Amino acid sequence: MSVLSHQYESNGAAPMSPLWYAVHTRHQHEKLVARTLANKGFEVFLPLYTEARRWRDRTKVVELPLFSCYVFLRGDLDRRLAILTTPGVHRMVASGGKLAGIPEEEIQAVRSVVENRVSVEPYPFLKCGDLVRVKSGALQGLEGFLVRKKGQARLIISVGLLERSVAAEVDACLLSPAPSPRD
């Protein structure tokens, strides 16, 4: 799987915000939104990756957004109406009624991975304390809680009756969110 990133160039010299912002788009409208916002003078980042899609009669390599339904932008936020009236835009991501900024370091990390053509694909967000399931390998099917110790992912498996747990080192790429229990 190869990687491709597009950074659409802006036409104007709008003052740049130090933070990036996420724009939530309609499904499969990310490229259109990115191109339109760049034409309106915003600095836009749309990280893409390539994937081979197979149909019955052919296989085709397609470019897909790394973050489905999201485009990142930086620019003059006094022109928020210009953003929100862009075809395909649902809203700007906010928290507590205020626009939620994304630190430059996080965008730069994504940009670095994409521009260096490292094999990349979307992955579910996992944080310490999440209930996870091992997808493959010797521990396939086991569920436990994700923790990190000395930079290493560990699966915590507990024996409730004894009130004891064990920590097993696992490769984080083998983990996925555990399905929520059915009611």
Side-chain angles (χ1 to χ4, degrees):
M1 187 180 304
S2 65
V3 178
L4 185 61
S5 169
H6 286 297
Q7 177 154 356
Y8 294 91
E9 299 298 324
S10 51
N11 293 336
M16 294 297 155
S17 164
L19 293 175
W20 287 83
Y21 297 92
V23 176
H24 186 226
T25 70
R26 289 181 58 196
H27 182 63
Q28 297 183 343
H29 281 70
E30 301 90 351
K31 293 176 187 177
L32 171 66
V33 168
R35 198 170 32 253
T36 305
L37 288 172
N39 288 338
K40 290 182 177 184
F42 293 96
E43 182 179 356
V44 176
F45 179 54
L46 175 58
L48 300 172
Y49 72 104
T50 59
E51 182 177 273
R53 290 281 171 104
R54 181 174 222 147
W55 288 270
R56 279 190 313 191
D57 60 336
R58 69 186 187 284
T59 299
K60 184 176 180 181
V61 175
V62 294
E63 293 179 335
L64 301 169
L66 198 52
F67 298 94
S68 179
C69 296
Y70 290 97
V71 171
F72 303 103
L73 77 87
R74 180 165 59 179
D76 182 9
L77 294 180
D78 292 338
R79 298 177 44 222
R80 197 173 313 173
L81 186 61
I83 298 167
L84 296 174
T85 58
T86 300
V89 169
H90 274 302
R91 62 184 172 84
M92 292 187 70
V93 177
S95 176
K98 293 186 178 182
L99 288 181
I102 303 167
E104 173 71 28
E105 298 79 33
E106 291 181 14
I107 295 294
Q108 200 53 44
V110 173
R111 187 186 306 271
S112 178
V113 168
V114 171
E115 288 176 355
N116 285 304
R117 303 224 181 261
V118 174
S119 179
V120 65
E121 63 187 21
Y123 196 80
F125 181 71
L126 298 175
K127 63 182 186 292
C128 287
D130 281 351
L131 183 61
V132 295
R133 174 179 283 161
V134 180
K135 295 186 294 188
S136 62
L139 303 178
Q140 181 176 355
L142 288 182
E143 290 186 5
F145 290 94
L146 173 67
V147 297
R148 293 205 183 273
K149 184 176 182 182
K150 297 181 183 174
Q152 188 64 259
R154 297 180 188 268
L155 179 69
I156 305 300
I157 301 168
S158 299
V159 178
L161 180 66
L162 301 179
E163 294 185 351
R164 297 283 192 261
S165 299
V166 295
E169 274 189 23
V170 292
D171 188 346
C173 71
L174 299 178
L175 302 176
S176 65
S180 56
R182 292 187 175 115
D183 296 306

